[in-house]
Amino acid sequence: MSQGYIQEVFSSFQGEGAAIEGSCYGLRQIFIRFSGCPLALGVHGTKGCIWCDSPKSWGSTPKKCLVETKPGSQIFKEIENPVTSNDILNMVKNLTSKDLHSISFTGGEPLFQESFLEKTIELLKLNGYNIYLETAFTDNFEYLEKIAENLDYACVDVKDRTAEAALNWEKLIEQELLMCKILKNSGTKVFAKTVITKSSKDEDFEIIARNCGEIGVPIVIQFVSPTAGSKVEKPTWSQINNFTQIAGKYLPADKIGISIQMHKAVEIL
Ligand code: SF4
């Protein structure tokens, strides 16, 4: 029986993305937030993205997780970790509403708990649910290829250099772009999301955009949401305006979008 560690389960609306293929922006999802993030654990030499808004997911084996009791109620009960794939199915069934679009696996990094994720998405697919994966990193590409057949949608967080997610940024984005390619080739509707800050550089973004163009994967440029006390600053409008035009050199217009974190703007989960 496959078991894993999760942080929280709740029903809300996808707050990131744009009007591009692969995005579920604005659609009702049940969010399964996995624990543990290899980037935060220093796999690439740094301690996570400097603007990370899910630091509570960094711990890989929390004792408890929070599970919403009714869709959108924002009332939670505590459940002991680890949980089984069957437990997740029951939580999802309990939170299923008529307007539910898909189940979002997020984190932390869902791909960090390989066998648990694989079994859970298999079970949810068997029960008729659509699966959306939000991911930033794996170097197990065979595994990604294997689970891709059960992934309907995916958002790969391709890190801008200013996230400081890796000492070797070029190597990290090479891996993330390969993830995009594997998912696309497997038939998953995938897009790349790049979070931009005021310090982001045209030349760095152009590398990401050119690579997305080569593999035909849409790109969403997302304004950073600075966390309390952080020195990270939002990008300016002129940067965003410039970046979308850079992307336009490599991708058709319907594969380029901008995003703000809608759930933060309207203060929902
Ligand atoms: S990859 Fe995601 S969870 Fe991990 S440190 Fe970066 S933003 Fe946070």
Side-chain angles (χ1 to χ4, degrees):
M1 183 171 45
S2 188
Q3 292 190 315
Y5 289 82
I6 54 169
Q7 200 71 38
E8 53 189 4
V9 178
F10 58 93
S11 168
S12 187
F13 294 84
Q14 179 53 246
E16 298 182 349
I20 53 158
E21 187 178 75
S23 168
C24 293
Y25 180 74
L27 299 177
R28 165 90 74 174
Q29 294 186 321
I30 295 172
F31 293 80
I32 321 276
R33 187 180 300 288
F34 273 45
S35 292
C37 169
L39 296 183
L41 293 172
V43 162
H44 273 268
T46 67
K47 289 286 170 198
C49 312
I50 55 169
W51 40 256
C52 180
D53 59 2
S54 307
K56 61 185 176 186
S57 306
W58 291 2
S60 40
T61 55
K63 286 200 169 67
K64 305 226 158 118
C65 64
L66 292 173
V67 181
E68 198 177 36
T69 53
K70 284 187 189 161
S73 67
Q74 306 198 6
I75 299 170
F76 290 82
K77 62 182 174 188
E78 275 192 345
I79 303 273
E80 300 267 333
N81 269 320
V83 296
T84 64
S85 300
N86 244 325
D87 292 334
I88 299 274
L89 175 63
N90 288 333
M91 293 172 199
V92 164
K93 281 183 174 167
N94 185 46
L95 289 176
T96 297
S97 51
K98 289 215 182 298
D99 58 346
L100 179 68
H101 177 265
S102 46
I103 311 301
S104 173
F105 287 85
T106 186
E109 173 54 69
L111 297 178
F112 188 54
Q113 299 185 62
E114 291 185 352
S115 118
F116 176 53
L117 178 69
E118 183 180 347
K119 295 285 173 273
T120 306
I121 57 176
E122 216 171 83
L123 187 61
L124 290 176
K125 277 303 278 181
L126 278 174
N127 279 270
Y129 291 98
N130 287 322
I131 309 294
Y132 177 95
L133 173 72
E134 187 168 359
T135 178
F137 179 72
T138 182
D139 53 8
N140 189 346
F141 303 117
E142 261 176 46
Y143 165 76
L144 185 64
E145 218 167 340
K146 190 165 143 209
I147 64 162
E149 65 184 33
N150 280 327
L151 300 174
D152 300 284
Y153 309 93
C155 165
V156 178
D157 196 349
V158 179
K159 302 290 180 190
D160 179 57
R161 194 190 293 269
T162 60
E164 297 182 18
L167 290 180
N168 185 341
W169 174 73
E170 285 81 1
K171 171 86 182 155
L172 175 65
I173 62 159
E174 188 187 307
Q175 290 175 312
E176 291 167 335
L177 289 158
L178 181 54
M179 291 169 70
C180 291
K181 189 173 176 182
I182 289 169
L183 288 165
K184 183 178 162 70
N185 290 346
S186 304
T188 304
K189 293 185 171 68
V190 56
F191 70 99
K193 175 189 81 181
T194 297
V195 178
I196 297 297
T197 72
K198 197 171 180 180
S199 311
S200 297
K201 299 272 181 300
D202 288 6
E203 56 271 28
D204 290 338
F205 179 73
E206 184 143 8
I207 295 171
I208 296 173
R210 189 173 54 238
N211 278 281
C212 284
E214 277 168 15
I215 53 179
V217 164
I219 190 162
V220 163
I221 300 160
Q222 182 162 298
F223 289 67
V224 74
S225 304
T227 45
S230 103
K231 293 195 182 115
V232 175
E233 288 182 79
K234 281 188 189 167
T236 61
W237 166 238
S238 108
Q239 272 177 291
I240 297 287
N241 186 35
N242 198 21
F243 283 15
T244 58
Q245 294 192 49
I246 290 172
K249 288 167 39 183
Y250 305 103
L251 285 157
D254 62 356
K255 288 194 158 89
I256 305 163
I258 65 167
S259 170
I260 57 158
Q261 291 187 297
M262 179 264 280
H263 50 291
K264 289 190 179 163
V266 298
E267 297 182 0
I268 55 170
L269 287 172

